Amino acid sequence: AQTVTQSQPEMSVQEAETVTLSCTYDTSESDYYLFWYKQPPSRQMILVIRQEAYKQQNATENRFSVNFQKAAKSFSLKISDSQLGDAAMYFCAYRSWGGSEKLVFGKGTKLTVNP
Amino acid sequence: AAGVIQSPRHLIKEKRETATLKCYPIPRHDTVYWYQQGPGQDPQFLISFYEKMQSDKGSIPDRFSAQQFSDYHSELNMSSLELGDSALYFCASSPTSGASYNEQFFGPGTRLTVL
């Protein structure tokens, strides 16, 4: 079974600074998807960014980018120019390429943005 | 853009009662997923449906059942409610083609409180 580990229960960053959230995962599969979801205090789950394992290029969405290291099974999220609205719980998630389509989540990292 | 609709948004029940949660996926999304998120926890996969057939099953108690109807909406039925069933229940939907292929779009959740 796949597992996802987020080793940082809490992180904080100053507004306008850059922060990196860590995620590692364990799988025997060669093809899969990885995601970062944001959950603000409203509890809505919002997709931030996705990465297909077969793609070597790291995904980027505006101020959000990932560092995907397939051999190391690492998938970190970098948030540049942090804004107050970035404060939230961030979940890393894994999904198999075929077979089960369920998302397997890490325990989450709570990000605080200080003004 | 249309989003996933869940109803009710909040539900309070007594122990041993039953509850029905409803989910209306994004139009033309044919796959529906249910997740349970306990307080301070990450979302846990319960069950999924594709084209009205159960496609995967996770850690769903036998007291729970679910189905997807001909209009693709889904219902999660929960019987003999226990205090531990208090959680946020998410429904997510995804298409099987197009640019958002294999992304899961989450609804706002139903907050169930069992007293």
Side-chain angles (χ1 to χ4, degrees), chain B residues 48-64:
Chain B
S48 62
F49 293 88
Y50 168 69
E51 285 290 343
K52 293 151 280 183
M53 298 288 290
Q54 180 182 309
S55 54
D56 198 3
K57 191 173 180 180
S59 51
I60 184 169
D62 292 340
R63 300 178 289 108
F64 294 6

Side-chain angles (χ1 to χ4, degrees), chain B:
Chain B
V4 176
I5 297 171
Q6 291 188 246
S7 68
R9 294 291 308 278
H10 302 274
L11 191 58
I12 299 175
K13 291 286 185 178
E14 299 281 341
K15 277 172 48 178
R16 292 180 289 278
E17 286 190 323
T18 62
T20 297
L21 279 54
K22 297 184 178 182
C23 169
Y24 298 86
I26 293 172
R28 291 178 295 282
H29 283 197
D30 45 19
T31 307
V32 167
Y33 311 82
W34 287 96
Y35 293 86
Q36 177 192 57
Q37 186 178 28
Q41 302 295 314
D42 54 296
Q44 295 291 315
F45 171 73
L46 293 176
I47 196 166
S48 62
F49 293 88
Y50 168 69
E51 285 290 343
K52 293 151 280 183
M53 298 288 290
Q54 180 182 309
S55 54
D56 198 3
K57 191 173 180 180
S59 51
I60 184 169
D62 292 340
R63 300 178 289 108
F64 294 6
S65 65
Q67 58 182 323
Q68 187 179 31
F69 294 85
S70 57
D71 64 350
Y72 293 98
H73 95 272
S74 179
E75 295 184 4
L76 178 65
N77 298 292
M78 310 159 70
S79 63
S80 302
L81 286 169
E82 302 174 355
L83 296 178
D85 296 330
S86 295
L88 187 59
Y89 290 83
F90 285 109
C91 172
S93 71
S94 70
T96 50
S97 63
S100 299
Y101 172 64
N102 285 328
E103 289 184 19
Q104 294 185 22
F105 296 81
F106 281 75
T110 293
R111 182 178 297 280
L112 172 66
T113 302
V114 181
L115 302 176

Side-chain angles (χ1 to χ4, degrees), chain A residues 33 35 37 39 43-45 47 50 91 95 100-103 105-107, chain B residues 31 33 35 37 42-43 45 56 88 90 101-104 106-108 111:
Chain A
Y33 302 91
F35 305 88
Y37 279 88
Q39 188 175 43
R43 306 296 300 276
Q44 175 77 49
M45 292 291 284
L47 178 64
R50 64 176 281 174
F91 289 99
R95 213 211 88 162
S100 175
E101 297 180 349
K102 67 181 181 184
L103 291 172
F105 290 90
K107 297 299 182 186
Chain B
T31 307
Y33 311 82
Y35 293 86
Q37 186 178 28
D42 54 296
F45 171 73
D56 198 3
L88 187 59
F90 285 109
Y101 172 64
N102 285 328
E103 289 184 19
Q104 294 185 22
F106 281 75
R111 182 178 297 280

